[in-house]
Amino acid sequence: MLLKLSWKNIWRSKLRSLVVIGSIIMGIWAMIFGNGFMNGFIVSYMANSINHDISHIQVHHPEFKRDQEVKYNVESGIQKAAEIRSWNGVVGATTRTLVTGMISSPRKASGVQIRGIDTENEAEVTRLDSLIGEGTYFEEINRNPIVIGSKLAENLQVGIKSKVVLTFNDVNGTLTQVSGRIAGIIKSSSLSLGESYVFMRQEDLSRQLGIEGNIHEIAILLGPQVDPQTIVDKYKSEFKGDLVETWEEIAPQLAYMQDLYGSMLYVLMGIILTALVFGIINTMLMAVLERMKELGMLMAVGMTRIRVFLMIMIETIYLGVVGAPLGLLLGWATVNYLNHDGVDLTAYSEGLEAFGYDSILYPYVADEVYLIVTIGVFVTAFVGAIYPALKAIRLKPVEALHKI
Amino acid sequence: MSIIKALNITKTYNSTAVPVHALNGIDLEIEKGEFTAIVGPSGCGKTTLLNILGGLDHPTSGEVSLAGTNITTMQDGKLIDFRLRNIGFVFQAYNLIPVLTTQENVEFIMLLQKRPKKERDERALELLTQMGIADKASQRPSQLSGGQQQRVAVARALASKPQFILADEPTANLDSHSTSALLDIMAKMNKEEGATFVFSTHDQRVIDKARRIITLEDGQIISDETR
Ligand SMILES: Nc1ncnc2c1ncn2[C@@H]1O[C@H](COP(=O)(O)OP(=O)(O)OP(=O)(O)O)[C@@H](O)[C@H]1O
Ligand SMILES: [Mg+2]
């Protein structure tokens, strides 16, 4: 009986109810869309970092991380990498010779990490070749071909075939200068690829460093769904003495970011639901106040306070019942549509890329978010209804009616 | 035994700057089956008295017993239930629930009393027929005339066969034709179902239809005649 009466009551003021239902729909949509968007950001950011930069696992000399000295190489690194490539679950493994130094053009200079790479295997692991936006992947230059990021090229004011000079200390601590020419320029949204790395062929760099045949880093890319820890364990049982780390250890900020974005969902929800709760209180209060006489009559003829209270509560819940599925559906449809086609943010990507984001995002929403949002909305409707409902039952029938 | 028994009722309103003594010692007994009008000039205390007799308000002093139950000290929550089971109300306005049909409005009290659907339907249709508005059963109150709306209110009050029915100026908003039609129907239900009616009015044509007329002045009964 109350259910039917409440249902009819919410349609007394159609416009007002529709406004509340509309804001519930919009609120739910915004929560789901916001979450999908944030997920799109973080997934693209993490995928970018792992697939193009840090890989799933890295191996170093235990001292290398602290000092980055040229002498701390991974023993028999090249042979180890070759063996790792044959392991199950490993997509690729590549070796790198690393040294910190400076790159200079006739106009400018910049501090960088110089990476001597195994060009073929590097392409397997980081797809570096696919990121070449201009020029070639170490081709068409005979002596010391060099690949740098577009941002760095811009800073140095250099282009393809421009001459650059690299300066660094070799294994004996002797300051060494190497000149080379730009073979290719990388187009990437990643910060490190864009301006902090300079790529050379491994043999070129190792020779100059005086450590031919030795490398500082092995980077391993795994297949999807492979737990990096199992490969780390396998590595440790096969080879002793090296430092082996998963991406979570190498870049704890990535794992951290995932958590941060997770809690941002709750902040977003908090803001939207707070706005919603005030909207609901306002609307239901109006609905109660303009029906004072009727509510007084109902209590005069024998409708108990509990029933009046429930009636107002149920009316509010109904608004949620109508709005929630529509909002969920709209949010789900938007996210799925965008997930399919991607959101192209190229127009705004200047700022985004500076932070290492891709300009095309693929929003997605985990299933449990729909549940959390739904529960959030109903709790909100419930909370928003309590005050107006209490207001209704505090009425004194005689005063509300004025006359029997 | 009297269905309504009021002993030395006084009511003072203290909410105003000067306390208003709305009722000054009312002694009153009403028997089952009466058709009684409470009359008097505006401000004499008719509404105040009916509110107290209906358990909608508490007297400042005195005692009220309804159908053998002393309600003077009953708590508000209990009083609501008491009203639901024992008293029918007809108000001057705002009687009906606008979102329900005529028939649903008539059944509303029975619904609150959790009477079975079959009984509710039969009783509602029976009453609507007696009120001459059976054809309006599925219309909303807003589609009815003022006189028809008041008849629906009377039907609702009668539906659960309460101990008595209180009506404060039920005809105040009606034209003369609807006024006499409503009074005729109330008189008919009084005769046929033995329903007890106590109503207030200052309309002479309404007063003429009453069998007992209690006249108030300044919160006191100055005459009480039965014809
Ligand atoms: N809630 C209230 N607070 C203060 N004074 C009140 C209140 N209700 C009624 N009164 C006063 O009590 C007196 C009796 O009022 P009551 O409404 O009972 O008269 P009435 O006979 O019904 O008048 P009317 O014919 O105008 O309806 C009046 O002087 C009125 O001003
Ligand atoms: Mg009055």
Side-chain angles (χ1 to χ4, degrees):
Chain A
M1 187 269 293
L2 275 183
L3 294 178
K4 186 175 162 191
L5 187 55
S6 299
W7 176 254
K8 290 185 169 176
N9 277 335
I10 67 170
W11 299 113
R12 295 169 91 141
S13 176
K14 281 203 186 60
L15 182 67
R16 195 169 60 206
S17 292
L18 287 176
V19 166
V20 175
I21 290 169
S23 24
I24 290 174
I25 293 175
M26 284 306 296
I28 292 181
W29 177 84
M31 285 186 271
I32 289 175
F33 181 73
N35 178 249
F37 220 76
M38 289 195 291
N39 278 334
F41 267 125
I42 181 162
V43 165
S44 105
Y45 185 87
M46 293 198 13
N48 253 359
S49 296
I50 290 173
N51 294 331
H52 294 308
D53 188 359
I54 59 181
S55 309
H56 289 107
I57 295 173
Q58 289 185 5
V59 181
H60 298 98
H61 186 284
E63 301 294 326
F64 181 82
K65 278 223 147 167
R66 195 154 39 98
D67 282 349
Q68 305 246 335
E69 276 189 48
V70 177
K71 63 180 182 197
Y72 294 133
N73 58 284
V74 178
E75 217 171 298
S76 322
I78 294 176
Q79 290 88 321
K80 283 176 181 168
E83 197 181 326
I84 292 166
R85 276 194 280 280
S86 68
W87 291 356
N88 265 345
V90 172
V91 170
T94 191
T95 58
R96 295 177 190 133
T97 308
L98 305 172
V99 64
T100 316
M102 193 176 76
I103 184 168
S104 38
S105 70
R107 293 166 179 277
K108 280 204 171 134
S110 185
V112 290
Q113 185 185 53
I114 304 161
R115 322 190 109 200
I117 58 170
D118 166 353
T119 52
E120 224 169 280
N121 282 307
E122 186 73 33
E124 292 286 319
V125 174
T126 61
R127 314 230 48 88
L128 188 63
D129 56 335
S130 72
L131 299 179
I132 298 291
E134 224 184 305
T136 65
Y137 187 57
F138 299 101
E139 284 161 26
E140 291 172 22
I141 306 278
N142 294 327
R143 230 181 114 250
N144 295 337
I146 285 171
V147 168
I148 61 173
S150 50
K151 192 87 190 182
L152 183 57
E154 214 175 282
N155 288 349
L156 297 171
Q157 301 177 11
V158 294
I160 300 302
K161 300 217 162 115
S162 300
K163 193 181 148 184
V164 290
V165 175
L166 302 174
T167 313
F168 47 84
N169 288 322
D170 73 6
V171 70
N172 305 313
T174 317
L175 199 66
T176 311
Q177 288 206 322
V178 185
S179 67
R181 283 182 190 276
I182 305 290
I185 293 176
I186 294 164
K187 174 124 188 62
S188 164
S189 54
S190 152
L191 214 53
S192 36
L193 284 172
E195 51 187 328
S196 331
Y197 292 164
V198 169
F199 296 93
M200 298 179 71
R201 288 189 303 222
Q202 200 169 80
E203 55 272 28
D204 296 344
L205 182 60
S206 300
R207 190 179 342 108
Q208 301 293 344
L209 284 171
I211 54 162
E212 280 177 287
N214 284 340
I215 53 98
H216 299 114
E217 178 173 284
I218 305 175
I220 305 168
L221 185 71
L222 306 179
Q225 261 96 55
V226 179
D227 179 5
Q229 201 54 48
T230 62
I231 305 290
V232 168
D233 293 344
K234 182 167 167 119
Y235 187 98
K236 283 181 174 162
S237 68
E238 302 256 332
F239 315 115
K240 306 274 181 249
D242 300 325
L243 177 67
V244 199
E245 295 168 299
T246 63
W247 64 268
E248 282 162 311
E249 296 165 304
I250 302 159
Q253 72 273 18
L254 281 189
Y256 202 70
M257 235 176 84
Q258 212 164 14
D259 287 352
L260 187 72
Y261 274 77
S263 48
M264 271 171 73
L265 168 68
Y266 293 103
V267 174
L268 181 75
M269 263 181 73
I271 293 169
I272 291 174
L273 293 180
T274 307
L276 212 53
V277 102
F278 284 108
I280 287 172
I281 289 177
N282 186 40
T283 308
M284 291 315 293
L285 213 49
M286 267 160 70
V288 165
L289 294 181
E290 76 181 17
R291 276 196 274 162
M292 292 253 278
K293 290 212 159 80
E294 185 183 324
L295 293 170
M297 179 275 290
L298 290 173
M299 289 193 271
V301 302
M303 190 152 159
T304 54
R305 286 174 204 281
I306 294 171
R307 280 175 163 158
V308 174
F309 186 84
L310 284 177
M311 182 173 80
I312 304 293
M313 294 299 283
I314 295 170
E315 284 176 26
T316 318
I317 304 286
Y318 272 142
L319 296 174
V321 168
V322 176
L326 291 174
L328 290 171
L329 194 72
L330 198 66
W332 176 83
T334 313
V335 167
N336 272 283
Y337 172 78
L338 294 177
N339 181 268
H340 191 259
D341 289 2
V343 187
D344 191 347
L345 294 175
T346 320
Y348 321 94
S349 67
E350 206 65 53
L352 289 177
E353 284 182 354
F355 291 106
Y357 292 107
D358 245 354
S359 35
I360 297 194
L361 296 181
Y362 296 91
Y364 90 100
V365 170
D367 289 345
E368 70 260 23
V369 170
Y370 291 101
L371 186 67
I372 294 171
V373 165
T374 310
I375 293 172
V377 165
F378 278 100
V379 170
T380 303
F382 205 78
V383 170
I386 288 176
Y387 178 66
L390 285 177
K391 195 97 185 161
I393 61 169
R394 282 205 205 104
L395 289 173
K396 286 235 182 324
V398 216
E399 284 161 22
L401 269 167
H402 259 293
K403 299 185 164 201
I404 57 162
Chain B
M1 187 191 63
S2 328
I3 201 97
I4 298 175
K5 194 167 182 177
L7 262 179
N8 198 20
I9 300 290
T10 69
K11 177 71 181 179
T12 306
Y13 289 109
N14 286 313
S15 54
T16 42
V18 184
V20 179
H21 300 285
L23 297 177
N24 300 306
I26 301 272
D27 287 306
L28 181 64
E29 284 195 38
I30 289 173
E31 304 295 325
K32 208 156 182 46
E34 282 192 20
F35 197 67
T36 297
I38 295 177
V39 305
S42 183
C44 68
K46 304 185 291 291
T47 298
T48 305
L49 179 59
L50 284 180
N51 280 343
I52 288 170
L53 296 184
L56 290 169
D57 206 352
H58 295 284
T60 307
S61 70
E63 245 180 52
V64 182
S65 291
L66 304 177
T69 308
N70 185 339
I71 64 154
T72 324
T73 53
M74 213 183 257
Q75 291 192 330
D76 281 359
K78 281 237 170 78
L79 264 175
I80 292 186
D81 201 55
F82 186 86
R83 292 199 296 267
L84 175 64
R85 318 241 152 247
N86 298 288
I87 312 174
F89 289 95
V90 179
F91 306 107
Q92 182 182 322
Y94 302 106
N95 268 301
L96 305 179
I97 302 167
V99 295
L100 299 183
T101 64
T102 298
Q103 185 177 340
E104 286 166 340
N105 266 289
V106 174
E107 290 183 19
F108 189 73
I109 304 290
M110 292 188 283
L111 208 60
L112 290 177
Q113 293 177 341
K114 303 200 167 79
R115 304 274 187 94
K117 178 164 171 39
K118 188 162 174 290
E119 184 193 333
R120 293 197 316 255
D121 284 349
E122 282 174 6
R123 178 72 173 146
L125 285 173
E126 174 196 347
L127 284 166
L128 287 174
T129 309
Q130 283 170 314
M131 305 277 146
I133 44 174
D135 56 328
K136 311 281 191 218
S138 54
Q139 295 193 357
R140 296 287 172 89
S142 59
Q143 293 166 292
L144 306 183
S145 72
Q148 289 167 336
Q149 287 181 23
Q150 288 305 75
R151 275 185 261 169
V152 175
V154 170
R156 182 189 60 191
L158 282 163
S160 59
K161 301 197 168 147
Q163 300 283 352
F164 59 94
I165 294 169
L166 297 177
D168 189 19
E169 311 213 25
T171 60
N173 293 342
L174 303 183
D175 60 35
S176 61
H177 175 76
S178 304
T179 296
S180 57
L182 188 73
L183 255 292
D184 287 344
I185 276 173
M186 284 164 60
K188 180 175 129 193
M189 298 316 292
N190 171 253
K191 211 167 284 160
E192 287 179 5
E193 293 204 344
T196 311
F197 279 93
V198 180
F199 50 93
S200 73
T201 185
H202 42 227
D203 183 334
Q204 191 55 49
R205 285 160 305 177
V206 176
I207 297 170
D208 290 345
K209 306 243 178 185
R211 279 207 309 279
R212 178 178 172 193
I213 300 162
I214 298 169
T215 311
L216 292 188
E217 210 175 282
D218 291 335
Q220 286 181 315
I221 296 177
I222 54 162
S223 86
D224 183 348
E225 53 174 306
T226 305
R227 299 186 292 210

